[in-house]
């Protein structure tokens, strides 16, 4: 009897949003794009050595099941029938690399996270083998040779983990980014799980030819990767398989996009020249370049934006990637302890309203776009006896904005058409101080949708629009209008430029800290990461000492 009283809302679509810091499952109304319910679980990151970042693939998978079950319970409490969920989309942290055993279903090593730096010497030795006049890696993939991408992480696993080597020799190994691991597991795992990925995630591995949209034999040979362990590449919107367990058993998984492509779709940037910036663990600015690959002269990546159906055309994007955005807030919370919750940073920054000449370059994993400088490490400079934790909090928020400005400048130079405004999304956009700072530093308006979950929304749209599902129309006239909050610049252009040029001076000082050996040897002393380990601590000790000498409590 209870079931007959459940609300009928029309077709619903679920989305798994598996990020670096957390996993979420969200359910949307396909007719209105309204978010009905969601559940979130934080994911642990492990740092076994300096520069290494790992996660447990089984923990990630369990978090997905937990989020799905809890969200379905919440929908039940809202009197919403979960049988109305017609499809599930998957959005994931990109480049993070997993190898597992297809016979046992067990991961053969922790997931090596996109931020991880252990492959620096691998990158250096591979770089020497690329002809100076023919960078076939970049021309085929759109990517610079960097620790960021999956191929070098996979190469490291093949070189260093005996369990991986043995499984490859015995034809038991499967490789994938997080989307592949999840889809394989959710569609049955060892009992017929589907081993696939989509074009957006494939384009981040450095093994995928973005022109032919296929795994590239020359690239696989260059990196020494056996092609039989790679997943099948599919479009971003088609039925891959059915859920084989849990509350949503039998529901098709029919959308798959790397998180930044998902946000581009969720922000409805379907026109050439439209751009969005997502503020998550890192910061990612993507500009839709249409059916044409645009190669950057200013440190940006060329990547696949989306392909919304097997027979639909592929769209490309220019991308600027910042390694550390929200992660700097987490660092202030977990490592320095100057805030207890991530939300507190807005309160601290508001107290002072300025960094008082303090600049923070959070190059914890080197610098990504537009520098691609692995030798950089984090610094806080411009400290005086007056500097306190509020100024450092403000400088951390400014750092996110300055890094975005560097990418936007590069994008404007590559595209030749300056953006009139910036569309933004991601967890950090709830911080109004950050959004206002971003408008001030870019000196253009920043536009934020009232529903910030655009990554999950993009995955849901792709899943709902898939052939055989057909509950979400992507026709422009059918897309729901989104209400926006707008932040206008409130400082003059001259002040904005002065602050930006000082930031660039600080960036130069962050470079060249790692000068000799690579993280792969595992000896923390070789990292020369004094700006984090020594200068921050010693500066704070000096500040505390100065306050004590001055009689300030």
């Amino acid at each position: 009897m209870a079931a007959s009283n459940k609300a009928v809302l029309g077709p619903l679509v679920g989305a798994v949003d598996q990020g670096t810091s957390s996993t979420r499952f969200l359910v949307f109304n396909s007719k209105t794009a309204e978010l009905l319910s969601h559940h979130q679980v934080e994911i642990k990151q492990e740092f076994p050595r300096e520069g290494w970042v790992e996660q447990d693939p089984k923990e990630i998978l369990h978090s997905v099941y937990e989020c799905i079950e809890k969200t379905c319970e919440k929908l039940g409490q809202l009197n919403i029938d979960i049988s109305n969920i017609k499809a599930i989309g998957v959005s994931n942290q990109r480049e993070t690399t997993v190898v597992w055993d297809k016979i046992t279903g067990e991961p053969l090593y922790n997931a090596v996270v996109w931020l991880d730096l252990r492959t620096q010497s691998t990158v250096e030795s591979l770089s020497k083998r690329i002809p100076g006049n023919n960078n076939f890696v970049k021309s085929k993939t759109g990517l610079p040779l960097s620790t960021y991408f999956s191929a070098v992480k996979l190469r490291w696993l093949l070189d260093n983990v005996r369990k991986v080597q043995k499984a490859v020799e015995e034809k038991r190994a499967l490789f994938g980014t997080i989307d592949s691991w999840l889809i394989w597991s959710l569609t049955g795992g060892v009992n017929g799980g589907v081993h696939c990925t989509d074009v957006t995630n494939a384009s981040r591995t450095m093994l995928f030819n973005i022109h032919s949209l296929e795994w590239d034999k020359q690239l696989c040979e260059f990196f020494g990767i056996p092609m039989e362990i790679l997943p099948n590449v599919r479009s971003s919107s088609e039925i891959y398989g059915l859920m084989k367990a849990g509350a949503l058993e039998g529901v098709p998984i029919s959308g798959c996009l790397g998180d930044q492509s998902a946000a581009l779709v969720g922000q409805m940037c379907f026109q050439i020249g439209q751009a969005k910036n997502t503020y998550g663990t890192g910061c990612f600015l993507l500009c839709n370049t249409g059916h044409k690959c645009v190669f950057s002269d200013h440190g940006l990546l060329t990547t696949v934006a989306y392909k919304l159906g097997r027979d639909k055309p592929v769209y490309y994007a220019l991308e600027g990637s910042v390694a550390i955005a929200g992660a700097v807030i987490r660092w202030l919370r977990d490592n320095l302890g100057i805030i207890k919750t991530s939300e507190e940073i807005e309160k601290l920054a508001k107290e002072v309203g300025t960094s008082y000449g303090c600049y923070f370059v959070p190059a914890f994993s080197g610098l990504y776009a537009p520098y691609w400088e692995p030798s950089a490490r984090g610094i806080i400079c411009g400290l005086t006896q007056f500097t306190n934790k509020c100024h450092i909090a403000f400088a951390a928020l400014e750092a996110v904005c300055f890094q975005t400005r560097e990418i936007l400048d590069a994008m404007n130079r590559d595209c030749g058409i300056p953006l009139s405004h910036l569309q933004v999304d991601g967890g950090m956009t709830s911080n109004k101080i950050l959004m206002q700072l971003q408008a001030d530093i870019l000196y253009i308006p920043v536009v934020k949708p009232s529903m910030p979950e655009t990554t999950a929304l993009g995955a849901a749209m792709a899943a709902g629009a898939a052939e055989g599902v057909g509950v979400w129309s992507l026709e422009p006239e059918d897309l729901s209008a989104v209400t926006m909050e707008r932040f206008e610049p409130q400082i003059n252009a001259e002040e904005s430029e002065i602050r930006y040029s000082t930031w660039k001076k600080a960036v130069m000082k962050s470079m060249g800290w790692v000068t000799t050996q690579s993280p792969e040897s595992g000896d923390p002393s070789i990292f020369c990461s004094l700006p984090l380990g020594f200068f921050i601590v010693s500066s704070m000790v000096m500040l505390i000492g100065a306050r004590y000498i001055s009689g300030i409590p």
Side-chain angles (χ1 to χ4, degrees), residues 314-470:
V314 65
Y315 280 75
Y316 296 96
L318 268 179
E319 173 175 338
S321 312
V322 168
I324 303 293
V328 75
I329 314 304
R330 196 168 175 166
W331 184 82
L332 290 174
R333 182 192 73 187
D334 297 346
N335 292 37
L336 287 196
I338 71 171
I339 51 175
K340 287 193 175 66
T341 66
S342 298
E343 292 71 31
E344 275 180 49
I345 194 160
E346 185 171 9
K347 185 171 164 241
L348 284 187
K350 196 172 184 179
E351 275 182 41
V352 286
T354 174
S355 67
Y356 203 77
C358 170
Y359 285 81
F360 190 161
V361 183
F364 301 160
S365 298
L367 288 166
Y368 283 13
Y371 300 102
W372 298 105
E373 181 48 74
S375 73
R377 286 295 178 270
I379 63 167
I380 301 177
C381 55
L383 298 174
T384 69
Q385 289 181 325
F386 183 71
T387 310
N388 62 33
K389 65 180 182 180
C390 297
H391 299 116
I392 290 172
F394 195 95
L397 294 182
E398 270 194 321
V400 176
C401 301
F402 286 130
Q403 290 178 106
T404 299
R405 166 77 189 267
E406 290 190 304
I407 287 172
L408 199 67
D409 282 359
M411 206 161 270
N412 287 341
R413 289 197 293 273
D414 280 325
C415 294
I417 307 164
L419 288 183
S420 59
H421 66 278
L422 181 65
Q423 290 174 231
V424 299
D425 58 77
M428 291 184 80
T429 60
S430 60
N431 186 322
K432 290 187 184 296
I433 298 274
L434 177 72
M435 292 294 93
Q436 187 55 57
L437 270 173
Q438 190 67 87
D440 290 346
I441 288 164
L442 296 180
Y443 212 66
I444 58 172
V446 166
V447 179
K448 173 193 158 191
S450 55
M451 200 284 293
E453 306 295 351
T454 52
T455 301
L457 177 61
M461 288 165 69
E467 187 180 342
V469 179

Side-chain angles (χ1 to χ4, degrees), residues 140-142 199-200 203 208-214 261 264 269-274 286-295 301-307 313-319:
K140 285 173 182 256
T141 67
V199 289
T200 68
S203 77
F208 185 72
N209 188 313
I210 60 173
H211 311 286
S212 66
L213 302 184
E214 293 174 338
S261 289
L264 195 74
C269 294
F270 295 126
Q271 304 300 314
I272 295 173
Q274 285 187 302
L286 268 71
C287 180
N288 188 332
T289 62
H291 306 310
K292 191 172 72 171
C293 287
V294 175
F295 284 86
L301 311 178
T302 305
T303 198
V304 175
Y306 52 83
K307 186 180 190 295
V314 65
Y315 280 75
Y316 296 96
L318 268 179
E319 173 175 338

Side-chain angles (χ1 to χ4, degrees), residues 167-383:
V168 169
E169 288 161 12
E170 295 173 3
K171 311 289 187 194
R172 292 183 288 109
L174 295 178
F175 151 78
T177 41
I178 294 295
D179 57 303
S180 298
W181 163 243
L182 292 179
I183 291 172
W184 184 82
S185 301
L186 296 172
T187 57
V190 295
N191 299 309
V194 178
H195 187 217
C196 69
T197 188
D198 90 302
V199 289
T200 68
N201 282 296
S203 77
R204 312 297 293 190
T205 61
M206 252 185 167
L207 301 169
F208 185 72
N209 188 313
I210 60 173
H211 311 286
S212 66
L213 302 184
E214 293 174 338
W215 298 121
D216 189 282
K217 192 166 182 288
Q218 185 188 12
L219 290 170
C220 289
E221 285 171 357
F222 175 72
F223 288 103
I225 306 296
M227 293 184 80
E228 62 269 18
I229 72 172
L230 304 178
N232 292 317
V233 182
R234 313 272 284 270
S235 77
S236 310
S237 177
E238 60 179 272
I239 296 174
Y240 313 112
L242 306 181
M243 287 284 291
K244 288 292 166 66
L248 299 180
E249 187 175 350
V251 176
I253 299 174
S254 53
C256 179
L257 291 150
D259 50 10
Q260 303 315 318
S261 289
L264 195 74
V265 171
Q267 285 267 33
M268 298 171 207
C269 294
F270 295 126
Q271 304 300 314
I272 295 173
Q274 285 187 302
K276 68 87 206 169
N277 197 29
T278 298
Y279 299 76
T281 299
C283 214
F284 303 90
L285 205 160
L286 268 71
C287 180
N288 188 332
T289 62
H291 306 310
K292 191 172 72 171
C293 287
V294 175
F295 284 86
S296 172
D297 296 320
H298 302 96
L300 303 181
L301 311 178
T302 305
T303 198
V304 175
Y306 52 83
K307 186 180 190 295
L308 296 174
R310 270 181 294 199
D311 302 322
K312 296 290 171 66
V314 65
Y315 280 75
Y316 296 96
L318 268 179
E319 173 175 338
S321 312
V322 168
I324 303 293
V328 75
I329 314 304
R330 196 168 175 166
W331 184 82
L332 290 174
R333 182 192 73 187
D334 297 346
N335 292 37
L336 287 196
I338 71 171
I339 51 175
K340 287 193 175 66
T341 66
S342 298
E343 292 71 31
E344 275 180 49
I345 194 160
E346 185 171 9
K347 185 171 164 241
L348 284 187
K350 196 172 184 179
E351 275 182 41
V352 286
T354 174
S355 67
Y356 203 77
C358 170
Y359 285 81
F360 190 161
V361 183
F364 301 160
S365 298
L367 288 166
Y368 283 13
Y371 300 102
W372 298 105
E373 181 48 74
S375 73
R377 286 295 178 270
I379 63 167
I380 301 177
C381 55
L383 298 174

